[in-house]
Amino acid sequence: MPSILIRDGRVIDPSQNLDRVTNLLIEDGRIAGYDVSPNGQDQIIDARDKIVSPGLIDMHVHLREPGREEDETIATGTAAALAGGFTSIACIPNTEPPIDTQGTVEFVQHQAARADNCHVFVVACVSKNREGKELAEIGQLVRAGAVGFSDDGAPVYDPELMRRAFEYCSMFDKPVLNHAEVRELTEGGVMHEGLVSMILGLAGMPSAAEDVMTGRDIVLAEATGGKLHIMHISTAGSVEIVRRAKRRGVRVTTEVCPHHFTLTDECLRTFDSNFKMSPPLRAQSDVEACIAGLVDGTIDVICTDHAPHAREKKMQELDRAPFGIVGLETALSLVITNLIEPGHLDWPAALAKLTINPARILGIDKGTLRVGADADVTIIDPAARWTVDPRRFKSKSANTPFGGWGLHGRATTVIVDGRVKYTA
């Protein structure tokens, strides 16, 4: 395997509290050393004025395969991940069939190896067939390689099932990732319930639907000692509930998506279905609460909730179009443009939420540039300026609300296991 020397980059590795300009050597697929001079390495990458980061990790990605290959495949989804700077992703099990058996976990692993793009970790189902009635075979799924458990796309609705999920997953020290939503409160809803939904005459999804489920899950995690990860948090109420739970020592973590710290429900005035997602875009006060949660550490992770849908599915009336947007290829730039450049987060804080924090939650040995670690590296040009053109996406789908937006910064080189897999 060729050796690579990354020269003169600003290496930021939150796992080591490292932030300095140096040379980074990669040999045999691993991080081999710092401050190494050019000495006949096979490849030298000039990273002057660039950020050299541990490979980015997205712990919330819908790859759609098996079952909905018209939206995305594991090959196209992982190619999109590379283009966005991600070297590892965790895929969510709401496929057809759902990922609730050893065979389906192995299928994803096989397809990911065949694609040979980035690392793919599997989040398996909490319940068999995602029906919320009976626990999946947690132990078998862990042995097959599952790193966490979720019925996302839907919440784990039965509190007794959720309690037992915490207990079983604790035996393997695995997190339960839950979509916080009380469906009775959101039935028929297409957007956030508030002034805008009232003006537009559209059925709303109240913040309380998320807050109630967030509170329930935290109570159950506290009672069982289980590891709870609340997915795609979006309301000021939930952020505050998590903040208080963390102060009590509850084992709870959470994540936020770029669209939830960037956009508001005002966008729905366009009736563009690319602004329809679940949880919905909220009010400005919720956006500000999410940013405050990122700043004070209440929110641990930035993820994409990458949810591809074929064009014909999204090109429908707002009440018929499916929820969700793609996000892998715009997430990093939205973080730079909307969090780092305005001064909400500095580079180390932002990269921690994109690297070591998701790695620790999932219990995977990634997200670090320590000597001896796997050589997963993302090189970022913070000065790059580009316009989002969905026609150029690597993803099979292009359902983004950010088409035509001018963004700052992007990944220029992505290295996986010591091999250059993407160059802008």
Side-chain angles (χ1 to χ4, degrees):
M1 183 173 292
S3 58
I4 301 174
L5 184 67
I6 302 173
R7 289 190 64 182
D8 299 324
R10 179 186 171 189
V11 179
I12 302 176
D13 180 4
S15 76
Q16 305 180 84
N17 294 318
L18 177 64
D19 183 356
R20 64 185 173 92
V21 174
T22 183
N23 295 349
L24 180 67
L25 177 65
I26 295 171
E27 286 183 336
D28 298 325
R30 296 189 175 277
I31 304 299
Y34 291 89
D35 303 313
V36 178
S37 299
N39 186 25
Q41 290 85 7
D42 297 298
Q43 184 176 2
I44 294 179
I45 298 174
D46 183 358
R48 200 172 312 160
D49 300 323
K50 306 283 197 314
I51 305 289
V52 180
S53 165
L56 307 186
I57 300 170
D58 187 349
M59 64 180 292
H60 188 162
V61 175
H62 299 268
L63 287 176
R64 304 305 192 203
E65 186 181 2
R68 289 170 56 187
E69 288 82 357
E70 71 276 17
D71 299 328
E72 191 79 283
T73 66
I74 291 171
T76 59
T78 52
L82 287 178
F86 294 95
T87 58
S88 295
I89 60 175
C91 67
I92 303 303
N94 61 335
T95 49
E96 298 174 5
I99 304 173
D100 64 351
T101 64
Q102 184 174 345
T104 48
V105 172
E106 291 173 350
F107 170 81
V108 172
Q109 294 168 336
H110 173 77
Q111 291 297 85
R114 189 175 178 181
D116 195 24
N117 287 322
C118 67
H119 300 287
V120 177
F121 296 91
V122 177
V123 175
C125 293
V126 170
S127 66
K128 292 182 179 176
N129 205 33
R130 291 181 61 245
E131 292 178 341
K133 297 177 181 177
E134 185 180 357
L135 275 184
E137 299 291 346
I138 302 293
Q140 289 184 15
L141 291 164
V142 170
R143 285 189 284 277
V147 297
F149 292 87
S150 176
D151 279 354
D152 184 45
V156 178
Y157 197 77
D158 183 336
E160 171 61 8
L161 189 76
M162 189 66 169
R163 183 177 70 87
R164 291 170 54 211
F166 280 132
E167 292 171 345
Y168 273 89
C169 289
S170 291
M171 295 168 61
F172 304 97
D173 197 29
K174 299 297 181 187
V176 179
L177 291 64
N178 204 26
H179 172 121
E181 179 183 353
V182 176
R183 287 287 171 90
E184 286 88 342
L185 294 173
T186 61
E187 187 173 359
V190 298
M191 66 174 294
H192 172 64
E193 182 180 276
L195 178 62
V196 180
S197 68
M198 185 175 68
I199 292 171
L200 298 178
L202 295 172
M205 305 166 73
S207 299
E210 179 175 314
D211 300 347
V212 170
M213 187 67 84
T214 298
R216 184 208 73 168
D217 287 347
I218 285 174
V219 168
L220 291 173
E222 193 166 15
T224 60
K227 293 173 69 173
L228 168 65
H229 181 76
I230 296 170
M231 307 177 85
H232 42 42
I233 200 167
S234 70
T235 70
S238 286
V239 172
E240 181 59 22
I241 292 168
V242 172
R243 181 179 288 122
R244 292 181 182 181
K246 285 192 167 188
R247 287 173 184 160
R248 296 199 306 275
V250 181
R251 301 174 78 193
V252 57
T253 54
T254 191
E255 64 188 30
V256 69
C257 304
H259 44 274
H260 285 130
F261 62 68
T262 301
L263 305 172
T264 71
D265 57 347
E266 290 284 343
C267 298
L268 271 297
R269 290 180 184 273
T270 63
F271 287 91
D272 182 345
S273 63
N274 284 322
F275 293 105
K276 181 183 178 184
M277 55 274 287
S278 179
L281 299 176
R282 303 286 187 184
Q284 182 61 36
S285 57
D286 295 299
V287 170
E288 292 168 1
C290 287
I291 293 173
L294 285 164
V295 171
D296 71 10
T298 300
I299 299 175
D300 310 85
V301 167
I302 297 170
C303 68
T304 66
D305 189 11
H306 179 80
H309 295 290
R311 179 180 174 84
E312 61 272 17
K313 295 180 180 178
K314 270 292 193 181
M315 292 294 288
Q316 301 185 73
E317 295 84 356
L318 203 56
D319 59 338
R320 299 181 61 184
F323 293 99
I325 62 170
V326 294
L328 284 166
E329 293 170 77
T330 54
L332 173 62
S333 298
L334 288 165
V335 169
I336 296 169
T337 304
N338 295 323
L339 295 179
I340 295 176
E341 292 197 343
H344 299 304
L345 297 178
D346 59 20
W347 274 97
L351 289 177
K353 297 175 193 297
L354 288 161
T355 58
I356 191 62
N357 289 1
R360 286 171 175 159
I361 292 167
L362 296 175
I364 59 177
D365 191 18
K366 297 291 182 183
T368 180
L369 294 177
R370 70 177 183 277
V371 173
D374 294 340
D376 295 342
V377 183
T378 301
I379 301 177
I380 302 163
D381 181 358
R385 298 290 185 267
W386 66 291
T387 301
V388 179
D389 182 355
R391 296 171 300 180
R392 299 173 66 87
F393 280 175
K394 303 292 185 184
S395 173
K396 201 168 184 178
S397 294
N399 48 307
T400 175
F402 301 112
W405 279 44
L407 296 178
H408 299 173
R410 66 187 311 177
T412 58
T413 304
V414 180
I415 299 170
V416 181
D417 283 340
R419 294 182 291 162
V420 176
K421 290 295 186 74
Y422 174 81
T423 304

